[in-house]
């Protein structure tokens, strides 16, 4: 969904390295020496990219992309492993290293996932919204609450202010 949305609205996308490494860790567990090699190399490539501290050059990004390409040149015994590596290069390569040259881009989406955590917990506790209207109401309220928290405002006072003057928010 993120790729489609980014494409439709013209946003640049940074693929989450936490998810890549989690997925490759599972491959290492399931696919022996080849899986372990891919996981180890991806950890090394990511460490190199992170080590540039958002101050990398386009030449360094090209070098990192080349290291991912090298993973596609290996004959893998398992189709799942081959598809994983192939997708990294042929589908995601332009979105793997944006963080290397841009300080405003994080290599992971951990911040976004932490922000969604409250919504996920509420959905689990309440067994979900029973209607689209309920889902929209929950999303709107949580959006307001999270905005107030990020602005370091008192949530109860902020909600009271909104209730008393909804057009002022």
């Amino acid at each position: 969904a993120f790729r489609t949305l980014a494409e439709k609205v013209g946003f640049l996308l940074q693929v989450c390295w936490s998810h890549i490494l989690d997925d490759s860790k599972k491959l290492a567990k399931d696919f022996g020496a080849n899986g372990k090699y891919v996981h180890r190399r991806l950890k090394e490539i990511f460490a190199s990219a992170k080590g540039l501290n958002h101050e990398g050059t386009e030449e360094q990004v090209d070098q990192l992309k080349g290291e991912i390409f090298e993973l596609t040149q290996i004959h893998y015994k398992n189709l799942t492993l081959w598809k994983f590596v192939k997708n990294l290069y042929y589908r995601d390569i332009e979105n793997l290293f944006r963080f290397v040259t841009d300080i405003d881009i994080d290599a992971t989406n951990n911040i976004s996932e932490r922000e969604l955590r409250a919504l996920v917990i509420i959905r689990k506790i309440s067994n979900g919204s029973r209607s689209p209207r309920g889902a929209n109401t929950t999303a709107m309220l949580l959006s307001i609450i999270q905005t107030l928290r990020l602005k370091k405002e008192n949530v109860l006072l902020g909600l009271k202010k909104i209730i008393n003057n909804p057009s002022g928010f």
Side-chain angles (χ1 to χ4, degrees):
F2 287 118
R3 282 180 189 83
T4 303
L5 178 63
E7 202 173 280
K8 285 187 178 191
V9 297
F11 288 157
L12 297 177
L13 187 66
Q14 169 63 56
V15 177
C16 177
W17 272 91
S18 289
H19 288 115
I20 291 169
L21 295 176
D22 282 348
D23 291 346
S24 68
K25 188 175 186 177
K26 290 175 193 159
L27 294 173
K29 184 177 153 191
D30 295 341
F31 299 113
N34 280 336
K36 289 177 181 152
Y37 175 75
V38 168
H39 179 60
R40 188 181 84 246
R41 284 296 297 134
L42 288 174
K43 283 179 17 180
E44 292 167 354
I45 293 166
F46 178 60
S48 295
K50 280 290 271 187
L52 296 170
N53 294 317
H54 303 284
E55 296 175 355
T57 64
E58 289 302 323
E59 291 78 23
Q60 289 168 315
V61 169
D62 288 341
Q63 171 68 34
L64 293 164
K65 289 177 181 179
E67 291 181 43
I68 297 290
F69 178 73
E70 288 173 11
L71 289 174
T72 69
Q73 301 304 297
I74 298 169
H75 176 73
Y76 297 101
K77 295 177 184 174
N78 185 281
L79 185 61
T80 301
L81 191 55
W82 159 241
K83 284 182 179 180
F84 175 79
V85 171
K86 183 182 87 162
N87 282 336
L88 276 179
Y89 187 76
Y90 292 104
R91 183 186 68 188
D92 293 330
I93 196 66
E94 294 306 317
N95 302 319
L96 285 177
F97 299 109
R98 294 192 193 283
F99 74 96
V100 171
T101 58
D102 190 335
I103 196 162
D104 293 327
I105 298 176
D106 190 32
T108 69
N109 64 1
N110 290 338
I111 294 169
S112 300
E113 289 190 359
R114 281 193 298 272
E115 293 299 320
L116 289 173
R117 185 180 175 103
L119 179 60
V120 171
I121 291 170
I122 288 170
R123 188 187 69 222
K124 286 182 179 182
I125 291 171
S126 67
N127 288 322
S129 300
R130 305 245 185 247
S131 69
R133 184 175 178 200
N136 287 337
T137 301
T138 301
M140 188 181 304
L141 282 171
L142 282 173
S143 176
I144 292 167
I145 290 168
Q146 288 298 90
T147 300
L148 290 167
R149 285 183 179 155
L150 287 171
K151 291 169 81 176
K152 297 187 182 346
E153 293 184 23
N154 182 303
V155 173
L156 292 177
L157 291 176
L159 289 172
K160 183 178 178 184
K161 195 173 8 174
I162 292 167
I163 290 168
N164 291 333
N165 184 14
S167 62
F169 185 70

